[in-house]
Amino acid sequence: VLTAVLGATPFEDRTGLAIGHAPRRFPSFEAAAEEAGRSRVLAGVHFPAGNAAGRELGRCVGEAVAARLQAAAP
């Protein structure tokens, strides 16, 4: 949805500043999603298959939401 609305653009994640983390730079929202998924697999929070299935489901939901937003646009 973010890519559909804002485009495939680099961005800086500054959400961790308040707790002492440096800003994180990503080339795209997709790259951030890939890293977030990998980190959860490496941390043992998710299994690789669950991560892959969740990303695919998220992509499908995002595409459906983006299509609705586009259809509703003037």
Side-chain angles (χ1 to χ4, degrees):
V1 174
L2 291 172
T3 300
V5 172
L6 301 174
T9 183
F11 75 99
E12 184 174 87
D13 175 6
R14 303 171 59 88
T15 58
L17 289 178
I19 57 173
H21 293 278
R24 308 279 316 280
R25 291 178 182 87
F26 295 96
S28 65
F29 298 113
E30 179 70 20
E34 287 176 18
E35 182 178 301
R38 267 194 319 275
S39 72
R40 283 153 181 80
V41 170
L42 292 173
V45 176
H46 296 294
F47 293 107
N51 179 52
R55 289 204 51 223
E56 182 58 30
L57 180 59
R59 184 175 288 110
C60 289
V61 170
E63 288 173 359
V65 170
R68 288 234 171 157
L69 289 173
Q70 186 176 15

